[in-house]
Amino acid sequence: QTLRDVYNSEVDSSFVFDELPPTQGYTLNENGAPPYYAKISPGKGRSLFASRDIKEGELVDGIEGGTKSDMIFTTVEALQRYLLALPEPMACDVLEWSYTQKLVKGGPAVLLVASDISSLMNDAWGDDVANVGPKDKTSSTLLYANRDIGKNEEILMSYGVFPPGLW
């Protein structure tokens, strides 16, 4: 919760995060839990693994219309205020979890930091290895299984599949 509290106090006091705890994901299975859990992946660090069998075409992460768990930084000054207000180890983690994206095609790039567990999804380093991705490559907020994923298998996406003009 610290990441979100500091964002509200240092960057945008009017921003309202989703009610979903940062340790949960957005697509829930029949038990009410997301279809993944976090653990260490050898050679990669923290990652997500399937908590159950996931069928090809099934929504793995995301919600229609996007999430309210991404912290948005439109200026360097806002990011600096945020990082300096965090405990030092947390500030280093935030920089590792950050990415740039254009929220609208042709718009300015902003820095985003996901504040939920889905930020642990690693890059597959190639589309042929990725097992989740956008269904039609027009949305970066909905990730579907592009093949069957077995229970306890690492969930990987290709960071390069997002829509042209948004990265």
Side-chain angles (χ1 to χ4, degrees):
Q1 194 61 35
T2 300
L3 296 174
R4 294 175 176 192
D5 292 340
V6 170
Y7 184 81
N8 283 139
S9 70
E10 299 296 325
V11 179
D12 186 350
S13 61
S14 65
F15 189 82
V16 178
F17 289 95
D18 291 333
E19 294 296 319
L20 194 68
T23 55
Q24 291 288 303
Y26 283 91
T27 301
L28 305 179
N29 68 22
E30 61 278 0
N31 300 319
Y36 47 75
Y37 61 92
K39 78 171 193 176
I40 299 296
S41 176
K44 295 180 188 171
R46 294 173 292 191
S47 190
L48 294 182
F49 291 79
S51 60
R52 61 175 172 79
D53 290 337
I54 300 171
K55 296 290 182 199
E56 182 176 352
E58 183 179 337
L59 182 63
V60 175
D61 188 64
I63 57 173
E64 291 292 339
T67 69
K68 291 288 279 178
S69 70
D70 291 336
M71 297 176 281
I72 302 169
F73 299 92
T74 58
T75 67
V76 172
E77 294 79 16
L79 176 63
Q80 184 177 34
R81 280 194 319 274
Y82 180 72
L83 293 173
L84 292 174
L86 290 171
E88 190 173 312
M90 228 180 239
C92 291
D93 284 342
V94 164
L95 287 175
E96 285 187 35
W97 302 332
S98 64
Y99 58 98
T100 58
Q101 185 172 344
K102 295 178 181 178
L103 298 178
V104 294
K105 193 171 184 175
V110 297
L111 185 82
L112 293 134
V113 177
S115 67
D116 69 15
I117 194 172
S118 67
S119 66
L120 301 180
M121 197 175 303
N122 282 319
D123 189 9
W125 297 100
D127 290 345
D128 56 329
V129 180
N131 52 19
V132 300
K135 188 178 274 184
D136 58 11
K137 302 194 185 213
T138 62
S139 169
S140 61
T141 61
L142 301 174
L143 300 175
Y144 296 86
N146 55 29
R147 62 170 176 78
D148 288 345
I149 302 170
K151 183 176 181 177
N152 298 319
E153 182 180 344
E154 186 171 10
I155 297 174
L156 299 167
M157 66 179 297
S158 173
Y159 290 169
V161 300
F162 293 108
L166 291 180
W167 284 79

